[in-house]
Amino acid sequence: MSADKSAPAKLKARQPRGFVDRGPADVAATERMLAVIRGSFSLYGFDPVETPFVEYTDALGKFLPDQDRPNEGVFSFRDDDEQWLSLRYDLTAPLARHVAENFDALPKPYRGYQVGYVFRNEKPGPGRFRQFMQFDADIVGSSSVAADAEICMLAADTMEKLGIKRGDYVVKVNNRKVLDGVMDAAGIDRDARLTVLRAVDKADKFPLEEVDKLLRSGRKDESGDFTKGAGLSEAQAETILRYLAVGQRLAELGKSTASDSARSAELSAEAVTELRTLVEGAENGVAGIEELEQIRELVTAAGYLGRIIIDPSVVRGLEYYTGPVYEVELTFPVTNEDGQVVRFGSVAGGGRYDGLVGRFRPEPVPAAGFSIGVSRLYSALKAVKSPIVDQKNELPLVVVTAMDNKSPEFMPAYQAFVSQLRQAKDGQGRALCRADLYLGSSGFNAQMKYADRRGATCAIIQGSSEREAGTVVIKDLVLGAELAAAGRDVKDSAEHKERQAQAQFSVPVGELVAGVRRVIERHARA
C-alpha cells in the first residue's frame, strides 16, 4: 500500500536552544539537594515564599542582568491591557516587590527564602542556559552588617551540609563602598568605572600584571582576542593594583589558624591601615572599611574565620548592590573538558541591596541576600561524589510483571502484589521500595527487559503454575546480572550455583514482602 501523500508532515521534536530536559536521576538528586538547602535555611529562621515567574517589567527596573544590552536581557511580552510583562531573571527583584506589596503584614526584619527557575534572554553557549534554577535567602529590614555576616555563615554551613568539606570552599566578602571610595579618591571617571570593576573581577583568574593591562590600554589573550582597557593613568592603575594586593594579603590572613592569631591580627591591622590610605577623603570608602571590619569581628567570634574571608577582588555584577558583597567559591581542583585541571569557581553570591525594596516604598528599606546557582552546585556535588546526589540514595524499584496480561481476570492479583509492596516498610518504618506494575501488552521477555531498563532491583513473577501453587517468584536482577557476567570457570563452582538459587526463588504469596525485603537488604549491605 502506498503512503498517503495528503497526510500532514510530522512535527520535528526539537528542544529550544538554551533549555535542557532532565531525566529522573537528575531530578531526584536535585530534589534531595534542595531538601538539604531548605533544612539549612530553615535552621537559621528563614521562612519559605514563592513568587510568580512573571513580573511587570517596570518592577524589574533598570537592574537587568546584561549591562551591555539592558533592553535585551529578559523575555518580555505585552498583556491584554498593553502593559509589559517579563519572565523573572533572578529571584531578588520579585522578592523586593513581594516585600513592598505586603510590607505592613510581614515581620521585620523579614527572613525569607525561595527556590525556582529564572530566565535570561541571552545567547546560549557551553554552560550558559536561558533557564536555570536559583535558591535565595534574604534578610529585609536590617541595616546592620550582622545580617550580611549571618548570610555568609549560612552559606558556609550550607556547603558543609551538602558534603563539601571545610577547606574545599571559601566565602569571600568585599564591600562595594570600599572600591567606590578607592575610585573616588583616585579620581577615576564614572564612564570608566564599569571597565575597572570588570578588571578587578579578573584578579582571582589573572596575575596582577595582566589585570594592569586591563586597567590601562587593554589586553590580548592567548587566542589573539583583544579586550579594551579602562584607560587609567599610571597613578590611577597603581592605586587599583595596591588595593588588589591588600586584598590578596587579607585573603591569606583569613586562612590563619588560632595558633598565630596574634600575628594575624597585627597583619590585618596593617592591611586595613593601607586600605584607609587608599580611600582617604572618600567618606563612603571609609564607611565600607568599617563595615568589613565589623563583619570580620562577627565571623571570628562565631568561629568562621578561614571559612569566611575578606577579599577586595569580589565585585558582583548587578548594579543594585550598595554595600557588602559575597561569593562562595569552591577551591578543589577539577578536570575540564580539555583535560586541564582548574578550580571549580563560584557557586553562589549576593550582597546588600538597600535601594531595591525602597523603590516601591516612601521610606528606605535595607536588605541583604544571596543566591545559590543550583545547577552549578549540583555539578560540584557530583565532582566531590557527595552522597546527596548518589543514585543509590533512591528507593529501590520492584517491577511486578503481568504474565497473563491478555487475561483481565488475573490483573487484580497483580495489582494486589504491587499495592502490598507500596505499603511495605523497612526496619525504621520508612517506605521499603518503589513498586511498578507492568501495564504494557508485551510478553514476558519484553517485560524483563523493561525491568532492566528501569534499573529495578528485583522482579515479581506469577504465572499459571505459581498461581496454582499459591506462590510468587522473586528474581534478583542485580545479582542475576553479576552472575551472568561471571566467567565459565566461576559458573561451574558450587558457590556460583548457590548464588543462582539466591538470585531466583519462590515464596508463598503471603511472604512476598518478606522475600523482597531480603533482596533489598542483601544489596544495602553490599
Side-chain angles (χ1 to χ4, degrees):
M1 182 182 294
S2 60
D4 183 359
K5 295 183 180 178
S6 64
K10 292 288 185 181
L11 287 173
K12 181 180 179 182
R14 63 200 192 279
Q15 189 180 75
R17 292 186 309 119
F19 297 85
V20 295
D21 296 328
R22 297 189 301 148
D26 279 349
V27 171
T30 300
E31 287 302 317
R32 288 194 299 273
M33 182 178 78
L34 296 180
V36 172
I37 299 173
R38 284 190 186 95
S40 182
F41 286 14
S42 179
L43 197 63
Y44 272 67
F46 287 79
D47 291 326
V49 66
E50 186 173 282
T51 59
F53 285 68
V54 176
E55 295 281 344
Y56 284 112
T57 302
D58 59 7
L60 301 180
K62 67 176 183 177
F63 307 109
L64 299 176
D66 193 330
Q67 295 170 332
D68 289 334
R69 43 180 203 159
N71 297 320
E72 301 179 30
V74 297
F75 291 99
S76 300
F77 58 96
R78 269 194 171 137
D79 203 356
D80 55 5
D81 61 358
E82 293 301 303
Q83 294 203 56
W84 278 99
L85 300 171
S86 296
L87 293 181
R88 63 191 182 191
Y89 66 82
D90 72 0
L91 298 177
T92 309
L95 178 85
R97 189 270 310 155
H98 168 79
V99 171
E101 198 169 3
N102 300 277
F103 196 76
D104 294 332
L106 292 173
K108 287 171 286 293
Y110 168 73
R111 291 175 180 243
Y113 74 79
Q114 62 176 327
V115 58
Y117 283 107
V118 299
F119 304 86
R120 304 284 172 93
N121 186 11
E122 300 171 341
K123 184 178 180 181
R128 189 178 180 91
F129 300 103
R130 288 172 164 172
Q131 174 185 313
F132 52 95
M133 187 181 290
Q134 292 184 333
F135 205 133
D136 282 22
D138 297 87
I139 300 176
V140 182
S142 173
S143 59
S144 170
V145 293
D148 300 278
E150 184 102 329
I151 287 171
C152 290
M153 290 186 280
L154 169 62
D157 284 344
T158 302
M159 292 301 111
E160 294 191 15
K161 284 182 170 64
L162 287 166
I164 297 174
K165 294 182 295 186
R166 196 169 298 188
D168 280 348
Y169 73 90
V170 65
V171 182
K172 303 192 298 184
V173 187
N174 189 22
N175 196 312
R176 290 286 277 264
K177 294 176 185 177
V178 177
L179 186 50
D180 285 343
V182 171
M183 290 191 287
D184 286 345
I188 296 174
D189 291 340
R190 292 283 170 184
D191 293 342
R193 293 195 178 193
L194 179 58
T195 308
V196 173
L197 288 175
R198 288 174 176 163
V200 170
D201 194 38
K202 301 293 185 185
D204 63 342
K205 303 178 182 68
F206 298 159
L208 290 184
E209 55 265 26
E210 295 300 313
V211 176
D212 187 24
K213 296 175 184 177
L214 292 171
L215 294 171
R216 302 185 195 234
S217 59
R219 175 182 180 271
K220 184 181 291 187
D221 64 21
E222 295 174 355
S223 69
D225 289 340
F226 182 77
T227 301
K228 186 178 178 181
L232 301 188
S233 68
E234 182 173 348
Q236 290 171 332
E238 284 298 324
T239 297
I240 299 298
L241 293 174
R242 281 175 58 200
Y243 166 81
L244 290 173
V246 173
Q248 290 178 349
R249 292 205 300 276
L250 283 171
E252 287 302 314
L253 290 174
K255 301 170 187 175
S256 300
T257 61
S259 61
D260 55 9
S261 57
R263 178 58 177 157
S264 174
E266 180 184 341
L267 292 173
S268 178
E270 291 176 6
V272 171
T273 297
E274 186 165 357
L275 276 180
R276 291 186 189 280
T277 302
L278 292 174
V279 299
E280 191 171 347
E283 186 177 337
N284 60 338
V286 173
I289 290 172
E290 295 294 342
E291 290 174 0
L292 284 178
E293 279 290 276
Q294 290 175 46
I295 291 174
R296 181 177 170 82
E297 289 174 6
L298 289 164
V299 301
T300 301
Y304 286 77
L305 185 64
R307 302 163 67 185
I308 301 170
I309 65 172
I310 306 301
D311 185 345
S313 69
V314 177
V315 174
R316 304 298 300 160
L318 294 174
E319 292 181 9
Y320 54 60
Y321 292 125
T322 58
V325 287
Y326 11 92
E327 281 188 351
V328 181
E329 181 179 310
L330 304 186
T331 57
F332 57 85
V334 292
T335 304
N336 64 16
E337 295 176 354
D338 299 325
Q340 300 169 319
V341 177
V342 296
R343 290 203 305 182
F344 203 95
S346 176
V347 293
R352 178 160 288 278
Y353 52 96
D354 286 346
L356 198 52
V357 183
R359 294 185 305 128
F360 303 97
R361 302 288 307 175
E363 71 278 354
V365 184
F370 89 119
S371 178
I372 295 173
V374 172
S375 297
R376 186 162 178 78
L377 181 56
Y378 175 59
S379 298
L381 295 183
K382 288 201 293 187
V384 297
K385 296 181 171 56
S386 169
I388 290 169
V389 297
D390 191 335
Q391 194 171 357
K392 292 178 182 176
N393 279 337
E394 281 296 288
L395 280 175
L397 176 67
V398 178
V399 170
V400 176
T401 61
M403 291 281 286
D404 298 304
N405 54 7
K406 300 292 194 295
S407 304
E409 66 268 24
F410 298 124
M411 291 301 290
Y414 299 139
Q415 187 67 63
F417 295 157
V418 80
S419 181
Q420 289 179 50
L421 291 167
R422 287 169 183 163
Q423 296 174 46
K425 306 294 182 183
D426 65 11
Q428 283 75 46
R430 300 170 301 199
L432 177 67
C433 62
R434 298 180 295 146
D436 172 7
L437 173 60
Y438 181 77
L439 298 175
S441 57
S442 299
F444 177 68
N445 288 338
Q447 293 187 40
M448 295 308 296
K449 286 181 181 178
Y450 168 83
D452 281 333
R453 184 164 288 184
R454 291 293 319 271
T457 299
C458 60
I460 309 303
I461 305 162
Q462 188 187 65
S464 57
S465 58
E466 289 84 16
R467 191 177 301 110
E468 291 173 8
T471 62
V472 293
V473 172
I474 300 176
K475 187 174 179 64
D476 183 335
L477 300 176
V478 177
L479 181 54
E482 292 174 4
L483 295 174
R488 177 171 295 180
D489 292 342
V490 174
K491 289 180 179 178
D492 291 335
S493 69
E495 181 186 357
H496 182 85
K497 291 173 182 176
E498 182 182 342
R499 296 184 75 203
Q500 279 183 318
Q502 296 173 351
Q504 182 166 317
F505 56 95
S506 295
V507 296
V509 168
E511 297 178 16
L512 168 63
V513 171
V516 169
R517 183 180 287 113
R518 200 162 75 212
V519 172
I520 290 173
E521 289 177 350
R522 174 188 298 153
H523 297 299
R525 293 191 301 267

